[in-house]
Amino acid sequence: MRKLLITLLFVAVSPILLAQNQFSGNVKNQETGEAVFSATVYFPRLEKGTTTDVDGNFTIKNLPSGNYKLVVSSIGFTSYSKEVSIPSDNFELVLKPSAVEMEEVIVSTPFHQLQSENVMRVERESVSELNKKGAVTLADGISQIAGVENLSTGVGIGKPVIRGLSSNRVLTYTQGVRMENQQFGGEHGLGISSKGIGSVEVIKGPASLLYGSDAIGGVLYLNPEQYASAGTTSAEVNGDYFSNTLGYQASAMAKTSGEKLKFIARGSLAEHSDYETGNSERVTNTRFNEKDLKTGIAYQNEKFKSDLRYNFNRSEIGIPEEIGEQTTSKTLMLPYQQIDNHILSLDNKIYFANSSLDAKFGYQFNNRKEFEDHHDHEDEHDEHAEEEHEHEEDHAEEHEDEHEDEHADEHDEESEEVLPALDMELETFNYNIKYNLPKLGKFETIAGIQGMWQSNVNTGEEILIPDANTVDFGVFATTHLHLSAWDFQAGLRYDTRNIDSETHGHEGETGYMEAVDRTFNSVNGAFGAKYQFSDQLNARLNLASGFRAPNLAELTSNGSHHGANRYEVGNPELDNEQNFQVDLSLEWRNEHFEAFANAFHNTINDYIYLTPTGESIDDNPVFDFVQDDAELYGGEVGVHVHPHPWDWMHIESSFETVTGKRDDDTYLPLIPANSITNTFRVEFNQGEIIENKYAFVRLKNVFDKENTSNFETRTGGYSLLGAGFGGRVQLADSEVQISVNGNNLLNKTYISHLSRLKTDGIANIGRNIMVSLQWFL
């Protein structure tokens, strides 16, 4: 296997020089005959494109011969998609004006098509649009997408919940490789900055056919920002200010591209104080900071493309325990976690006459540390903390500034001496090799192999999971059939995973972890069909199975999990989770109205979950990992109205619901409450001074959460009001984008059902105003 991978890598980085082709043409407005400026002309399979100039002309060089799908898109026009032959004569195209949102190519599905052409419905949002809605973090931003929520611990820690499933049931992909950062823990965040991410795609439902184990709930696919167009150089500086946390984000980016060689680099910083609830209480130790570096270099000629990217992220995040000292300090205090994440990816493509080879390789190194306050007499420390808290309440106003300075000095001295109680190193190597076979009639087919090697090593005094190695291997094939009104897609996959862990501790003692050597196998398939009833109406039906091998924590845990405030006991006899989902989607659209309805039913055999035993160890309640069959069902419904002739006006509404039950008819934990979101938005692209102006008002209503698991309590409903405005100003040869956005403008005091601080009665974030400035050079 190692020799095969080395050979493929060598072939992938060896350019194949053949005759060059170029593709030129012109794009015009169908109604007026005027040139369309800045339209995107793109070949998805070649991952190569350009934009039109002021006269609507374009040229793309260094293209291989063959038949390739062409996609042309521009804001305010219906996207165009057609297969063209290269070499080709000058290409003339007219785009039809439309108030419908511009369609983009979906990258997370195998055949890289427009959303309207996809057999599987995929949600897609640009990160810039999510930021306009006032998102503090990337995890916060993706909760704006229908069917996606955020499982949070304060503001700094969040992870995606797709239709009620999260953690190891949802895969995150970035730079084209699966992200591995100890995501089994509920208090582990995404570990990646939104800066340098171009767009987010969400597959809702089992995606094991394409992604293997752990994708039974879906996939969060993060597309990195694109390189500059050939022959151009650009830069960007941006900054964000958040009123609630007195926090900031700052980022700078530069990119340049020749005809074949491209380069991009971005550095980002973020720092936040403890967040403030609607009742003006700051939640102690929810402060966090982040440093992020993203860089990439790519080479492409007519037969070969290679993209090397690197991302380093350091997050230092406070672990909240109770509401105590009221301060706006950004200095870290104990306990807190420090997480370093290195992601190195290499994406290679070789283009043949009518086929191509795609070989992706990824290396990740994740180092997770937790720093705690160590005292020989824990009870004495608790008593002292209580006395100190009472003292602060009596004298907060009189001595606040003095106490903050003293606390900061104490932390500075202490942090030099303290060693991490928890220190975990996770090393992962991924490979994903796919061959796009030549088209056979109307069939497009992809076959490939995927694999992973992973090592977990502990160097701290506390152990959550033992030292272990994990090895994955999968082989799959999928095919797509396109007919005049029908599209069909089907595939089959086989996977095997081996988990080999070491013994920790001594049998009979607290914290003992028995060695595990287990192999898990699974065969999965998917079938989808899309029928185009008319130009306005289409329907999609998808049937898919998926699997998830139990993770190390579920198999081996035997100790206190301080971030979750419980003592967890694993079960080495756990079996695969195996699921089957039926997904039906209907979409109707014309020039001024869109509507969609999605319904799903997800059956999971041997669902793994934690259940309390009623016992306590080290003052923590004991929870066991057990299995039972489960089912989840629900869906999303939405409309988007942009009435004629007021195309600048948009009225959007969406409703989402999900229910999760075990086989005994009791409810699953951490299932989001039903919600409905209504948005009124106006957009004006033209203006003498300010262009691309927008303003919106949004109201999100979250309903009471009554159907809870045995160890959850009900959560009351609430309504959150948001609003924002912005625009772009031309300054000589540069542009400045200004936006102001507010969330929870009425400063509502509320608790989300998916907040891990809910058990302590701690409310979510109150009113937050975000002011953003982007300068495009």
Side-chain angles (χ1 to χ4, degrees):
M1 177 60 67
R2 181 178 297 178
K3 290 183 178 179
L4 173 61
L5 293 176
I6 292 173
T7 302
L8 288 170
L9 181 60
F10 176 77
V11 172
V13 296
S14 302
I16 303 173
L17 300 176
L18 295 177
Q20 296 184 6
N21 296 309
Q22 74 174 34
F23 183 75
S24 301
N26 181 267
V27 181
K28 293 181 179 179
N29 186 319
Q30 186 185 61
E31 293 184 356
T32 66
E34 297 177 347
V36 178
F37 171 61
S38 196
T40 300
V41 184
Y42 186 68
F43 290 96
R45 187 168 147 195
L46 302 177
E47 295 185 2
K48 192 162 188 176
T50 188
T51 56
T52 56
D53 61 20
V54 292
D55 297 317
N57 297 319
F58 67 88
T59 298
I60 307 176
K61 298 180 179 180
N62 300 315
L63 296 174
S65 300
N67 298 320
Y68 302 97
K69 180 173 290 185
L70 173 70
V71 174
V72 182
S73 56
S74 182
I75 295 176
F77 295 88
T78 300
S79 295
Y80 172 90
S81 175
K82 184 179 180 180
E83 190 170 89
V84 298
S85 296
I86 298 175
S88 173
D89 296 331
N90 199 56
F91 189 80
E92 300 293 334
L93 173 67
V94 291
L95 291 181
K96 180 182 178 181
S98 173
V100 175
E101 303 295 326
M102 182 180 71
E103 280 195 277
E104 300 281 359
V105 173
I106 302 300
V107 178
S108 56
T109 51
F111 298 102
H112 292 194
Q113 298 168 314
L114 293 173
Q115 175 66 284
S116 59
E117 300 171 330
N118 248 349
V119 173
M120 179 188 299
R121 179 177 171 85
V122 178
E123 303 290 345
R124 185 190 186 279
E125 283 279 1
S126 68
V127 169
S128 61
E129 289 299 315
L130 296 178
N131 289 339
K132 285 181 181 179
K133 298 175 182 178
V136 179
T137 63
L138 180 60
D140 184 30
I142 62 175
S143 64
Q144 307 288 342
I145 300 173
V148 184
E149 291 292 340
N150 181 26
L151 180 61
S152 65
T153 307
V155 179
I157 303 174
K159 59 201 320 171
V161 179
I162 300 178
R163 290 177 168 176
L165 298 177
S166 61
S167 299
N168 273 94
R169 297 183 180 96
V170 172
L171 268 185
T172 299
Y173 260 66
T174 183
Q175 299 174 196
V177 297
R178 62 182 288 161
M179 194 168 181
E180 292 289 325
N181 63 347
Q182 306 286 11
Q183 63 266 32
F184 67 86
E187 78 289 1
H188 301 197
L190 277 175
I192 189 168
S193 171
S194 64
K195 301 299 183 182
I197 301 296
S199 62
V200 176
E201 297 177 15
V202 179
I203 298 175
K204 293 181 287 189
S208 292
L209 173 65
L210 300 177
Y211 297 103
S213 177
D214 303 349
I216 68 171
V219 175
L220 177 67
Y221 200 97
L222 307 176
N223 295 308
E225 64 184 322
Q226 297 180 350
Y227 291 98
S229 299
T232 64
T233 297
S234 61
E236 174 192 326
V237 177
N238 62 65
D240 307 314
Y241 172 76
F242 303 89
S243 66
N244 186 286
T245 63
L246 304 180
Y248 71 88
Q249 288 184 116
S251 182
M253 180 274 293
K255 57 184 178 181
T256 184
S257 295
E259 285 297 333
K260 297 183 179 181
L261 195 62
K262 304 178 181 184
F263 176 78
I264 190 171
R266 178 183 288 272
S268 307
L269 295 170
E271 198 169 30
H272 294 265
S273 303
D274 297 339
Y275 79 83
E276 188 176 65
T277 66
N279 57 13
S280 301
E281 267 188 326
R282 291 203 175 270
V283 181
T284 307
N285 208 23
T286 54
R287 64 200 68 173
F288 66 96
N289 62 65
E290 183 179 53
K291 302 177 181 68
D292 190 85
L293 171 67
K294 293 184 176 74
T295 186
I297 185 170
Y299 175 86
Q300 184 172 12
N301 63 17
E302 68 280 1
K303 295 295 291 182
F304 168 79
K305 178 181 179 180
S306 184
D307 186 357
L308 178 67
R309 297 213 184 217
Y310 170 72
N311 179 203
F312 168 72
N313 181 278
R314 166 169 287 187
S315 301
E316 295 178 315
I317 307 172
I319 301 175
E321 296 179 321
E322 61 181 2
I323 294 181
E325 178 187 8
Q326 297 293 288
T327 173
T328 58
S329 172
K330 295 181 177 64
T331 304
L332 289 170
M333 62 181 292
L334 300 172
Y336 71 92
Q337 52 183 314
Q338 176 184 296
I339 305 167
D340 288 350
N341 210 38
H342 302 263
I343 305 174
L344 182 67
S345 64
L346 180 64
D347 184 359
N348 302 292
K349 291 182 173 63
I350 302 174
Y351 303 105
F352 307 107
N354 286 300
S355 64
S356 62
L357 179 69
D358 183 353
K360 290 185 175 71
F361 303 93
Y363 172 79
Q364 296 172 66
F365 180 79
N366 175 266
N367 184 205
R368 174 183 172 84
K369 298 178 180 179
E370 287 188 6
F371 296 86
E372 301 173 1
D373 200 357
H374 296 278
H375 290 270
D376 293 332
H377 304 286
E378 188 173 337
D379 293 339
E380 181 181 331
H381 165 64
D382 292 341
E383 183 178 336
H384 171 71
E386 183 177 348
E387 292 175 357
E388 185 180 47
H389 180 63
E390 292 175 357
H391 176 75
E392 289 168 4
E393 289 180 336
D394 292 337
H395 304 281
E397 293 184 2
E398 182 178 354
H399 300 293
E400 183 177 354
D401 292 339
E402 179 182 351
H403 184 78
E404 285 178 21
D405 294 339
E406 290 175 357
H407 177 77
D409 292 338
E410 288 174 4
H411 171 68
D412 289 341
E413 293 174 3
E414 187 177 16
S415 62
E416 294 176 359
E417 301 173 0
V418 69
L419 296 175
L422 180 72
D423 193 343
M424 305 168 66
E425 295 179 353
L426 185 69
E427 196 173 15
T428 307
F429 172 73
N430 307 91
Y431 61 90
N432 185 356
I433 302 170
K434 297 184 292 186
Y435 180 58
N436 294 267
L437 282 74
K439 288 186 70 172
L440 182 62
K442 294 183 178 296
F443 284 93
E444 293 180 83
T445 304
I446 295 175
I449 59 171
Q450 287 179 344
M452 178 181 77
W453 175 87
Q454 188 174 84
S455 172
N456 183 77
V457 176
N458 293 276
T459 59
E461 61 184 40
E462 290 186 6
I463 303 294
L464 291 181
I465 56 176
D467 295 353
N469 290 326
T470 302
V471 179
D472 276 7
F473 177 77
V475 57
F476 67 96
T478 181
T479 189
H480 177 261
L481 171 64
H482 174 70
L483 303 175
S484 58
W486 285 95
D487 282 271
F488 298 97
Q489 187 172 314
L492 195 64
R493 179 180 179 120
Y494 168 77
D495 282 277
T496 180
R497 167 174 287 189
N498 176 258
I499 299 177
D500 185 7
S501 72
E502 297 181 8
T503 301
H504 172 72
H506 300 282
E507 189 171 0
E509 296 181 356
T510 301
Y512 170 71
M513 298 179 186
E514 181 183 355
V516 171
D517 187 359
R518 296 282 307 278
T519 298
F520 303 91
N521 304 297
S522 185
V523 176
N524 293 281
F527 173 81
K530 181 178 78 73
Y531 182 69
Q532 195 76 36
F533 291 95
S534 66
D535 291 340
Q536 289 78 35
L537 178 64
N538 71 63
R540 296 180 173 93
L541 175 66
N542 282 275
L543 313 174
S545 68
F547 88 106
R548 183 180 77 88
N551 62 46
L552 269 174
E554 294 163 338
L555 291 169
T556 64
S557 288
N558 190 9
S560 296
H561 204 300
H562 298 295
N565 297 319
R566 60 182 175 237
Y567 191 101
E568 297 181 0
V569 179
N571 180 355
E573 302 302 320
L574 293 173
D575 294 322
N576 275 344
E577 289 184 343
Q578 193 77 40
N579 77 323
F580 179 78
Q581 178 166 305
V582 179
D583 197 300
L584 177 64
S585 172
L586 294 173
E587 296 173 77
W588 192 90
R589 64 163 60 190
N590 63 16
E591 189 177 354
H592 298 285
F593 181 82
E594 298 173 80
F596 69 88
N598 307 323
F600 76 94
H601 187 277
N602 191 358
T603 302
I604 307 178
N605 295 327
D606 294 319
Y607 180 88
I608 301 170
Y609 63 98
L610 280 165
T611 185
T613 65
E615 302 175 347
S616 292
I617 299 178
D618 297 336
D619 296 326
N620 289 315
V622 177
F623 282 71
D624 285 346
F625 283 101
V626 295
Q627 288 186 298
D628 197 359
D629 294 342
E631 64 174 347
L632 297 99
Y633 52 89
E636 306 88 34
V637 179
V639 296
H640 180 189
V641 182
H642 28 84
H644 182 75
W646 306 295
D647 294 338
W648 46 267
M649 183 169 66
H650 300 261
I651 302 170
E652 302 171 50
S653 181
S654 65
F655 170 76
E656 53 191 89
T657 179
V658 59
T659 299
K661 288 185 175 183
R662 288 191 284 266
D663 202 39
D664 61 3
D665 212 35
T666 59
Y667 290 96
L668 295 175
L670 298 177
I671 301 297
N674 297 343
S675 66
I676 185 169
T677 303
N678 297 293
T679 304
F680 176 77
R681 178 165 50 96
V682 296
E683 294 178 343
F684 301 95
N685 293 328
Q686 303 301 320
E688 294 184 4
I689 299 176
I690 304 177
E691 298 179 340
N692 302 117
K693 299 181 290 293
Y694 75 91
F696 72 89
V697 177
R698 180 181 64 248
L699 180 65
K700 181 173 183 178
N701 299 100
V702 179
F703 298 93
D704 293 347
K705 181 62 178 177
E706 301 283 359
N707 300 329
T708 61
S709 73
N710 296 332
F711 55 92
E712 287 182 316
T713 57
R714 69 171 295 277
T715 306
Y718 51 89
S719 299
L720 301 178
L721 179 67
F725 63 89
R728 184 172 293 200
V729 179
Q730 189 76 33
L731 297 177
D733 294 330
S734 64
E735 293 180 327
V736 175
Q737 172 78 40
I738 303 170
S739 60
V740 179
N741 306 287
N743 287 327
N744 194 6
L745 291 177
L746 300 182
N747 209 27
K748 175 76 174 179
T749 300
Y750 73 98
I751 298 178
S752 166
H753 189 67
L754 295 185
S755 170
R756 288 195 171 272
L757 302 181
K758 176 178 180 283
T759 54
D760 297 317
I762 297 176
N764 287 69
I765 188 170
R767 181 188 298 115
N768 181 49
I769 307 297
M770 175 183 175
V771 181
S772 299
L773 181 70
Q774 286 181 281
W775 186 13
F776 301 93
L777 303 171

